[in-house]
Structures are given as structure tokens and as C-alpha cells.
Amino acid sequence: MYEERLDKARERVIETISQNMNLYGITPSVGRLYGLLYFQAVPMTLDEMKEELGMSKTSMSTSVRNLLELKMVEKVWRKGSRKDQYQAEEDWHQTFVDLFTTKWRPSISMNISAIEKSLKEINLLLEEENAPEEVLAAAREDVTKLHEALNYYDWLGRLVNSFETGEIYQLVPKERNS
Amino acid sequence: MYEERLDKARERVIETISQNMNLYGITPSVGRLYGLLYFQAVPMTLDEMKEELGMSKTSMSTSVRNLLELKMVEKVWRKGSRKDQYQAEEDWHQTFVDLFTTKWRPSISMNISAIEKSLKEINLLLEEENAPEEVLAAAREDVTKLHEALNYYDWLGRLVNSFETGEIYQLVPKERNS
DNA sequence: TAGTTTGTACAGTAAAAACTGTACGAACTG
DNA sequence: CAGTTCGTACAGTTTTTACTGTACAAACTA
């Protein structure tokens, strides 16, 4: 009775988290698992999760792997049980930072290399004598755009750095200072 | 021949953009459309997009709507054509900011209200005389967690503000200053 | 050693999302 | 006014993604 009231209050938050977690590239059911772990005082085993969420153990295994990759969950050891135990990372600031470093940074690199490669090709093209002026004009515009894009990704990389080093908290402090 | 070389260089960048755009919650084909528009010197009509990407006009219509909602594309007017014309937002810094304000901010609000509602319920529960100590202990832990969560979302909201106001560029300047 | 238990790979199924074609309202044209 | 053209709602289809059950390797137990 009292317990159910607490559960209901938890449920609401878990459900909201799980629905909004798509911004992190996380599906609702993985989000729900994270929410469950977040409110759990003690680490959980795959079987307990399976039991609690009414899903297959296989799903729990892959969901947990997802969360581990994002560092939103960690494997912990607890004596007695032979089973793996998992608990949620509770520091959401840290989670936010990890999200950017694990998901955004690789993407930044990929974009930069693609742009640089194409820039080289276009610059080569621009030196061609017989290329029609029409194409050359387009190529010149592309060069401008690609430089701007490069500049953006450089900025984004520096932004992620400021998350990772914690510099961001100078501008936006963790605790409201008013 | 020369044109094909330029196209190939563009294609690479477009493909990379479209693949990495899932971080923005954008599907590859919508990303490809954005890439196409980005390199296009003049605004395009739905029919031109359809032609270029070999997809249905319906898809173009919904994809463009997606991009409009994210402010990654804008509708422009051009005399002569009766058709709607669309062009890509070229300032990616702005796009980044818009992404956070349109997608993250609503999510922040939702989370905050859910947490506040649940906090109230739990605080009510904590005043119950006959509630078992076990439940009360869990409830007290939850209150702590929810306050931390609230603090995180407050921080996230202030971070988004710093994007929107441009304050972020004080900490991470657009142009590398070395 | 043989017998459990645990986690996950893999193949198959169920659910969700993306995409298409048709149909139609609204806005133009003559 | 009838006749086009344009964009999109909607239903149906295809493709993708999520999830499950089986099977098996690795690690433990007696």
C-alpha cells in the first residue's frame, strides 16, 4: 500500500526518463532499464532485471551492454553471487559528458576527415586548365562551404573538450549560484 | 567528367553527414536531403528533390517538414515558380543551438515536472505515521536522488540558455583564436 | 571428472518506422 | 467557371529495428 505509492512516484519519473532518452539515442525499453537501476539501492543481476521488467534475459543482456558502452551503468562485484551485478551511474553531469565524448566525438572525426578528403579533391580540380568555368565556380563555392563546415566541427570538438575537462562548469556552474 | 569529380567529392560529405545525423535524431534519408540542399546554390522544389534523390514526392514533403521543424531548412519565395522553394540553413552553429532549444528544452521541462510531481507525492508519504520504516528509508533515498536529478536538469536548462544567448562563445569561441 | 549455472551469439519472429501511391483540398490559370 | 498544379493526409507496403527462444561456450561446483 505505502510501497505502491512510492512505486507509482518512481514509475512516473522512470517513464519520463525513458521517453526522453531518445535524445541520447537510447530506445525506451533501454531507458526504462536505466531508470529501474537508477532507483535501485543495490546492484541488480540480469535475472532480477528480467523479472522486474518482464522481458527476456537476452534483452537484458543487450540492453545492459548498450548502457555500459555509454557508461551509464557499471558492472560491480559483490561477494556471494556468481552473477554479474550492475548499477546505474548516478552522476548525470558525468553521463552527459560521456555521451558527448563517446557518441559525438567519433562523429566529429568522421565528418572532418570526409570534408578534408573532399577539399583536397576539389582543390585539385580547381587547378585543371580545361575545366568549364561553370564547374569551377561551383567548386569554389563548395570550398567556401567546406571551410565553414570544418570550422564548425572544430568548434564542436572544442565544445566537447570543455565538457570533458570540466571547463564548461566555469560558464555554467553545477550549482545555481543565486 | 569534371562535374562528376565535383559530385563525387560532394557525395562523400553528404553521405557522412547523413550517417552522423542520427545524433540529431534525424534519419539517414532526411540527412541526405539536407546535404543535398546544403550544396545546392539555389533553393529547390519538392519535385527537384524527388528527381535528385529518386524518392517519392510524399517522402520529400515529410522530410522537408522534419527539417523545417528543426530549422535546418527554410521556405523561401522565388518569383516565377508557383512551387514552394526550400533552402538549407547554412550556419551550423545556429543549427546546433536550434537543435537544443527545439528538442532538448521540451524534454527538460517534461522531466522537471515529472520529478516535481513525484517529489510532492513522496514528501506526503514521508509524513505518514504508520508507514513501515523500510518504505520510509527508500523514500528518503529517492528524495535525495530526485533533488540531484532536479539540479541536473536545472544545469542542463542553463546550458541550453548559454547556447541560445550565445554566451557559450565566450568560453568556446567560434573561431579558433590561436 | 560430470553436472550446474551464467551470459551471449544467432536465427527467427514480432513490432515499429520508413517509404510509396492514391486521393483530395486549396490555390492558381485561362 | 472548368481545368491544372501543388502539397499533404491517409492507407497500405516494404524495410528496419527490437525482442524472444534456443543453443552453446566459459566458468564455476562437487
Side-chain angles (χ1 to χ4, degrees):
Chain A
M1 157 52 177
Y2 292 106
E3 200 171 349
E4 277 142 31
R5 280 168 62 187
L6 186 58
D7 269 357
K8 206 186 134 215
R10 283 180 174 179
E11 282 298 336
R12 177 185 302 107
V13 176
I14 292 177
E15 201 51 35
T16 313
I17 289 175
S18 93
Q19 277 175 31
N20 286 285
M21 210 95 105
N22 56 57
L23 298 179
Y24 290 64
I26 287 174
T27 61
S29 55
V30 176
R32 204 164 298 115
L33 175 61
Y34 175 80
L36 174 65
L37 288 168
Y38 180 70
F39 279 109
Q40 209 66 19
V42 292
M44 290 183 91
T45 66
L46 293 180
D47 285 307
E48 287 163 350
M49 300 172 200
K50 162 195 153 132
E51 188 61 29
E52 195 72 30
L53 295 179
M55 290 178 73
S56 71
K57 197 173 174 181
T58 306
S59 286
M60 295 304 96
S61 177
T62 56
S63 295
V64 163
R65 179 164 45 199
N66 266 315
L67 292 169
L68 282 171
E69 277 162 11
L70 290 171
K71 297 191 188 161
M72 294 182 65
V73 150
E74 55 179 359
K75 194 194 269 198
V76 294
W77 182 85
R78 225 173 29 145
K79 82 171 177 186
S81 175
R82 238 164 82 192
K83 305 183 182 185
D84 295 351
Q85 312 263 128
Y86 301 94
Q87 74 183 11
E89 166 63 66
E90 295 196 1
D91 184 347
W92 289 1
H93 295 283
Q94 189 56 47
T95 299
F96 182 85
V97 168
D98 288 335
L99 169 75
F100 275 83
T101 49
T102 58
K103 291 206 133 178
W104 288 63
R105 220 202 289 275
S107 152
I108 294 170
S109 309
M110 281 180 58
N111 276 291
I112 288 180
S113 2
I115 292 171
E116 282 178 343
K117 196 165 178 183
S118 287
L119 257 180
K120 269 182 202 150
E121 287 177 8
I122 297 179
N123 279 326
L124 241 56
L125 179 62
L126 280 172
E127 286 169 14
E128 298 279 353
E129 306 283 331
N130 334 8
E133 182 53 35
E134 198 179 276
V135 173
L136 288 177
R140 279 190 288 267
E141 272 195 43
D142 285 5
V143 168
T144 309
K145 283 183 185 171
L146 290 180
H147 273 125
E148 277 171 26
L150 223 39
N151 188 61
Y152 165 74
Y153 284 114
D154 181 74
W155 175 81
L156 194 53
R158 283 180 287 122
L159 180 68
V160 174
N161 287 347
S162 83
F163 290 159
E164 204 171 18
T165 62
E167 270 178 289
I168 188 68
Y169 300 120
Q170 286 169 21
L171 184 72
V172 187
K174 281 190 190 180
E175 312 290 335
R176 198 179 354 210
N177 52 6
S178 69
Chain B
M1 158 50 178
Y2 292 106
E3 199 171 350
E4 278 142 29
R5 280 170 61 188
L6 185 58
D7 270 357
K8 205 186 135 214
R10 283 179 174 181
E11 282 297 336
R12 177 184 302 107
V13 176
I14 292 176
E15 202 51 36
T16 313
I17 289 174
S18 92
Q19 277 175 30
N20 286 284
M21 209 93 103
N22 56 57
L23 297 180
Y24 289 64
I26 287 174
T27 61
S29 57
V30 175
R32 204 164 299 115
L33 174 61
Y34 175 80
L36 175 65
L37 288 169
Y38 180 71
F39 280 109
Q40 209 66 17
V42 292
M44 290 184 91
T45 67
L46 292 180
D47 284 307
E48 287 163 350
M49 300 172 200
K50 162 194 151 128
E51 189 61 30
E52 195 72 30
L53 296 179
M55 289 176 74
S56 71
K57 197 173 176 182
T58 306
S59 286
M60 296 302 98
S61 177
T62 57
S63 295
V64 163
R65 179 165 43 200
N66 266 315
L67 292 169
L68 282 172
E69 278 163 10
L70 290 172
K71 298 191 185 160
M72 294 182 65
V73 150
E74 56 180 357
K75 194 193 268 195
V76 294
W77 181 85
R78 225 173 27 147
K79 81 171 178 188
S81 175
R82 241 165 79 192
K83 305 183 183 185
D84 296 350
Q85 311 264 128
Y86 300 94
Q87 74 184 11
E89 165 64 66
E90 295 196 359
D91 183 348
W92 288 1
H93 295 282
Q94 189 56 47
T95 299
F96 182 85
V97 168
D98 288 334
L99 169 74
F100 274 84
T101 50
T102 58
K103 291 207 133 179
W104 288 63
R105 220 202 288 275
S107 152
I108 294 170
S109 309
M110 283 180 57
N111 276 290
I112 288 180
S113 0
I115 292 172
E116 282 177 342
K117 197 165 176 182
S118 287
L119 257 180
K120 270 182 203 150
E121 288 177 6
I122 297 179
N123 280 325
L124 242 56
L125 180 63
L126 280 173
E127 286 168 15
E128 299 278 356
E129 304 285 330
N130 334 8
E133 182 52 35
E134 197 180 276
V135 174
L136 290 176
R140 279 190 287 268
E141 272 194 43
D142 285 5
V143 169
T144 310
K145 283 183 183 170
L146 290 179
H147 273 123
E148 277 171 25
L150 223 39
N151 187 61
Y152 165 75
Y153 284 115
D154 181 75
W155 174 81
L156 194 53
R158 284 180 286 122
L159 180 68
V160 173
N161 287 348
S162 82
F163 290 159
E164 204 171 18
T165 62
E167 271 178 288
I168 188 68
Y169 300 121
Q170 287 169 20
L171 184 73
V172 187
K174 281 191 190 179
E175 311 291 336
R176 197 177 356 208
N177 52 8
S178 68

